[in-house]
Amino acid sequence: MPQYILGISAFFHDSAAALIKDGELVAAAQEERFSRKKHDPDFPENAIAYCLKEAGIEMSDLQCIVFYDKPLLKFERLLETYLSYAPSGFRSFLMAIPVWIKEKLFLKKQLKRSLEMMSGVKEDDLPQLLFTEHHQSHAASAFFPSPYENAAVMCLDGVGEWATTSVWLGEGNILTPQWEIDFPHSLGLLYSAFTYYTGFRVNSGEYKLMGLAPYGEPKYVDLILDNLMDLKEDGTFRLNMKYFNYATGLTMTNRRFADLFGAPAREPEAELTQREMDIARSIQVVTEEVVLRLARTVHKETGQKNLCLAGGVALNCVSNGRLLREGPFDNIWIQPASGDAGGAVGAALSAYYEYQEKPRTPLSGDSMKGAYLGPSFSADEIKSYLDSVGASYQEMDEGDLYPEVAKQLEQEKVIGWFAGRMEFGPRALGGRSIIGDARSQKMQSVMNLKIKYRESFRPFAPIIKHDKVSEWFQHEGPSPYMLIVAPVLEEKRKLMSDADNDLFGIDKLKVPRSEIPAVTHVDYSARLQTVHPETNPRFYKLLNAFEEKTECPLLVNTSFNVRGEPIVNTPEDAYRCFMRTEMDFLVLENVLIDKTQQPNWKESADWQQEFELD
């Protein structure tokens, strides 16, 4: 009989569930996609139900259920931290401890109760419940799906139980811990502190800070290294906690931090100034330096040629790009759901390979299946929904659909693309995407302001046929998960005038910098996603059709949502988002929908208030 193991991450942020069958990942999804609450931390009832349905099994068919960290160790860290900082942090202590005593300290009981309620299986009859450590889950999610028999593994995040940075050696089906850096000294929390200070939301806005960095100058690097952290040559570090409030307070930074940088933290949604851009650039430079130094040390210590990455810091694709180009490792593989959601995958795989000691045979690509691990919908389900709302649509054969979509893209139309299984992780990878012509000078502005309703500086990513990537970017090999930033080739760039080069900040956006201005950042970089016919044949065919028409094998790709909304999951989510925005066409599998042909959409004027701004 097949062995099924369910992994769960929950109760902190980005709750998710993942299901493996005899070691093969068969389904994974985040709870936010079902609840429509971004970064939903609640028990992932809907995600679990989806995983079981996808496999055609019941809760009682599971061999075990694995939670992605150990709450007792986390509680120990919480208590020791408050004691070591006492009497500071008393207000925070009074807020945090009752929640722990009421809920999180008895997480095993809470999990069993939630599983019983959703399945009807009595607590005593539920599958065995196991717990991995947080960084063990991260490490397992990075190494076990990778294509490597042996590899060094680095996990960098905010904090798990105690660890904030950990190094592992992966060999076959075994992960051996090497060393770790513990709380409160955390590269992830340092980056989040600057996220907070520049007015963005912690655990959500870090990618905005990364996107803002190229508009600034690294003016504050020395200030950071001289005051906020003691960075050693080997990449290990300690933070000067007198500038930070996160250990015991209700904010990330304190008054000393503000005095050091000469102003209080920016208010959320306030105007962005050159100062925030320079601060963003400075912390990005420091982060890259820490990661590069750590990688050199890990390479020297382990002698491995392969590196696997996970943890929230591994989503810093600018840092990843430098690590790939400048670092000591021959090969790098990064878990596409590097944050807490991916812990569900790691927890399940850790139980299978480490607890059950099952043999492991790495796949030549990777076993994440392009991250297409979520729900898909049949033509009948799609048409049934569209008929219920009186939508006008045209069902087409694939041979007609791709040329028609390519034609509309060439005419600078913006298209919602909904095909196949939903992606797992924070990136839209061609399953739930909004796409446009990367050659268009207006596309970046149109998508940000009229489609996504988000900040104008936010960059967009190219999605390109894997066999054409080296013809457009300084990059060789696959990058299927949008986790690597690479420079646009010199011959594709446009020369800047002296006046253009003298521009500062957001004004730099106004100057097209390459033949594909919609995806070329102000530093001539782009966040790459390569498309492979093995994992996403439909999108590969669309890129083929667009290339035949334009000689350009790439498009703009961004997630199918508006600001603050989770990526769409169902045809209903997609059609609603399509009608609320200024997208021109919507593709639902083989159904093409023209905005101009749709019935009037009745919507409350304040519908955007549904979504809390990220």
Side-chain angles (χ1 to χ4, degrees), residues 187-210 212 244 252-253 257 265-268 272 276 279-280 283-284 287 316 614:
L187 184 60
L189 289 174
L190 175 67
Y191 204 87
S192 289
F194 279 89
T195 301
Y196 167 83
Y197 183 69
T198 50
F200 301 122
R201 190 173 178 181
V202 172
N203 291 328
S204 173
E206 282 78 7
Y207 62 96
K208 296 185 187 182
L209 194 67
M210 181 180 68
L212 194 63
F244 300 96
M252 293 298 294
T253 61
F257 190 103
R266 169 181 169 261
E267 289 294 323
L272 282 164
E276 281 82 39
I279 289 172
I283 188 57
Q284 179 63 35
T287 299
N316 192 307
D614 58 6

Side-chain angles (χ1 to χ4, degrees), residues 21 51 56 298 303 336 357 406 438 532 577:
K21 174 186 176 183
C51 287
V298 171
E357 299 181 338
H532 304 256
C577 185

Side-chain angles (χ1 to χ4, degrees), residues 82 92 115 137 166 191 205 232 261 267 269 301 306 526 558 566:
Y82 281 125
S92 175
L115 290 164
S137 297
S166 64
Y191 204 87
K232 304 298 185 186
F261 286 90
E267 289 294 323
E269 306 305 312
E301 290 177 350
N306 305 315
T558 188

Side-chain angles (χ1 to χ4, degrees), residues 317-337:
C317 48
V318 180
S319 169
N320 295 341
R322 281 196 65 193
L323 186 55
L324 186 64
R325 292 189 298 277
E326 303 172 33
F329 289 92
D330 294 348
N331 306 296
I332 297 176
W333 192 85
I334 307 158
Q335 166 57 241

Side-chain angles (χ1 to χ4, degrees), residues 86-157:
S88 296
F90 188 64
R91 271 183 67 209
S92 175
F93 176 85
L94 289 177
M95 292 176 68
I97 295 304
V99 175
W100 271 89
I101 292 175
K102 184 181 177 184
E103 297 174 7
K104 294 181 179 179
L105 196 56
F106 304 101
L107 198 72
K108 187 172 184 178
K109 185 75 174 173
Q110 184 182 352
L111 279 169
K112 285 190 170 183
R113 192 182 307 120
S114 297
L115 290 164
E116 178 186 5
M117 286 178 64
M118 72 169 289
S119 67
V121 178
K122 296 295 183 185
E123 276 191 36
D124 292 342
D125 297 326
L126 284 168
Q128 181 184 17
L129 186 58
L130 303 173
F131 294 80
T132 59
E133 289 192 22
H134 189 92
H135 271 234
Q136 181 185 9
S137 297
H138 276 321
S141 78
F143 176 61
F144 291 133
S146 80
Y148 313 134
E149 178 67 30
N150 302 303
V153 183
M154 285 199 330
C155 303
L156 304 98
D157 66 358

